[in-house]
């Protein structure tokens, strides 16, 4: 059985998943320790929490965010909020490094000039998954989504424009970046249950940064 951390610690060739969708393996490996430190600083001001869903449930993925606004969910629905509902304060600002890593990855995938104004930060404990969904609360669908994976590996489920479309399963490792935009911008996606493990940088968690242009 392949070891979960048996991952070559250097960037590998980009892989196209669908028109407009790219996997950039290891593209954030070099910046990963600095990205992880910044997550800690953001979480000190805007703690990870399990948000309420409109249906009355609770997100199993722990979330926080940063930027001009960040994605939230509660009994009233899904939206971008300029303030953290938990503290009433503006979200921590988007670190330059988040912006730069995302903008460079987007350019590599053919989306030059991507300037994110929002980052949702997801934290997965072992056993936690994210069901298939579309990212559709942003204003401008010409802007891509850039997703950076840190820590424990996970299985990315990548479908199509319709919920019932076939799903590709793509293994995501520490330092991998995904970009989807253009014809793939509204493709359904999710994360399979994270397996038990311990990562040298992030401990028993997977973290994911999704950089978006919300407004
Ligand atoms: C998301 O779709 O918001 C998260 C994807 C991921 O955790 O990789
Ligand atoms: Fe998403």
């Amino acid at each position: 059985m392949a070891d979960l951390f048996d991952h070559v610690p250097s960037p590998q060739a980009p892989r196209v998943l669908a028109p407009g969708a790219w996997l950039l393996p290891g593209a954030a490996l070099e910046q990963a320790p600095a990205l992880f430190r910044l997550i800690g600083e953001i979480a000190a001001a805007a703690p990870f929490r399990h948000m309420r869903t409109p249906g009355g449930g609770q997100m199993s993925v722990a979330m926080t965010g940063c930027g001009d606004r960040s994605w939230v969910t509660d009994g009233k629905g899904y939206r971008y909020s300029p303030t953290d509902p938990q503290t009433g304060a503006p979200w921590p600002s988007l670190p330059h490094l988040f912006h730069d890593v995302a903008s460079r990855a987007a350019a590599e995938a053919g989306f030059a000039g991507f300037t994110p104004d929002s980052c949702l930060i997801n934290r997965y404990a072992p056993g936690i998954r994210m069901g298939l969904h579309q990212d559709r609360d942003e204003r401008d669908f010409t802007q891509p989504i850039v997703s950076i994976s840190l820590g424990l590996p996970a299985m990315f489920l990548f479908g199509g424009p319709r919920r019932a479309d076939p799903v590709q399963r793509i293994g995501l490792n520490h330092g991998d970046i995904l970009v989807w935009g253009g014809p793939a911008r509204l493709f359904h996606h999710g994360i399979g249950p994270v397996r038990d493990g311990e990562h040298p940088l992030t401990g028993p968690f997977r973290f994911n940064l999704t950089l978006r242009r919300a407004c």
Side-chain angles (χ1 to χ4, degrees):
M1 195 182 88
D3 187 274
L4 288 177
F5 303 118
D6 187 15
H7 180 56
V8 182
S10 64
Q12 294 166 273
R15 188 180 137 202
V16 68
L17 306 176
W22 290 85
L23 171 64
L24 310 175
L29 269 176
E30 199 185 314
Q31 297 85 6
L35 293 170
F36 184 63
R37 249 190 326 272
L38 288 163
I39 292 174
E41 287 176 19
I42 290 162
F48 281 98
R49 80 290 305 264
H50 297 276
M51 296 185 199
R52 303 225 155 267
T53 58
Q58 209 176 29
M59 302 288 293
S60 57
V61 176
M63 297 175 164
T64 183
C66 60
D68 295 342
R69 42 189 57 70
S70 191
W71 187 85
V72 297
T73 171
D74 59 19
K76 289 182 283 187
Y78 303 146
R79 65 193 174 280
Y80 280 90
S81 169
T83 52
D84 176 350
Q86 194 162 293
T87 64
W91 295 100
S93 54
L94 190 78
H96 292 294
L97 185 66
F98 286 19
H99 180 284
D100 292 352
V101 171
S103 180
R104 187 146 31 87
E108 214 179 311
F111 303 98
F114 176 55
T115 53
D117 60 1
S118 175
C119 179
L120 178 67
I121 307 174
N122 294 319
R123 188 185 68 193
Y124 298 73
I128 302 300
R129 57 190 278 280
M130 186 179 283
L132 275 188
H133 66 277
Q134 295 169 295
D135 289 1
R136 54 179 319 144
D137 300 314
E138 301 74 31
R139 206 164 272 173
D140 179 0
F141 295 144
T142 69
Q143 298 302 303
I145 301 285
V146 176
S147 154
I148 305 171
S149 290
L150 298 173
L152 293 180
M155 193 59 76
F156 187 65
L157 311 172
F158 194 49
R162 286 170 304 269
R163 204 168 197 291
D165 285 333
V167 167
Q168 300 183 57
R169 296 166 61 82
I170 296 131
L172 291 179
N173 289 297
H174 175 67
D176 287 354
I177 303 185
L178 282 168
V179 181
W180 65 93
R185 176 60 179 73
L186 291 174
F187 276 23
H188 288 76
H189 58 278
I191 290 287
V194 170
R195 289 170 57 184
D196 247 323
E198 186 74 23
H199 188 274
L201 183 65
T202 68
F205 294 110
R206 168 178 189 262
F207 291 85
N208 169 256
L209 306 172
T210 47
L211 282 294
R212 298 111 185 266
R213 181 86 206 171
C215 275

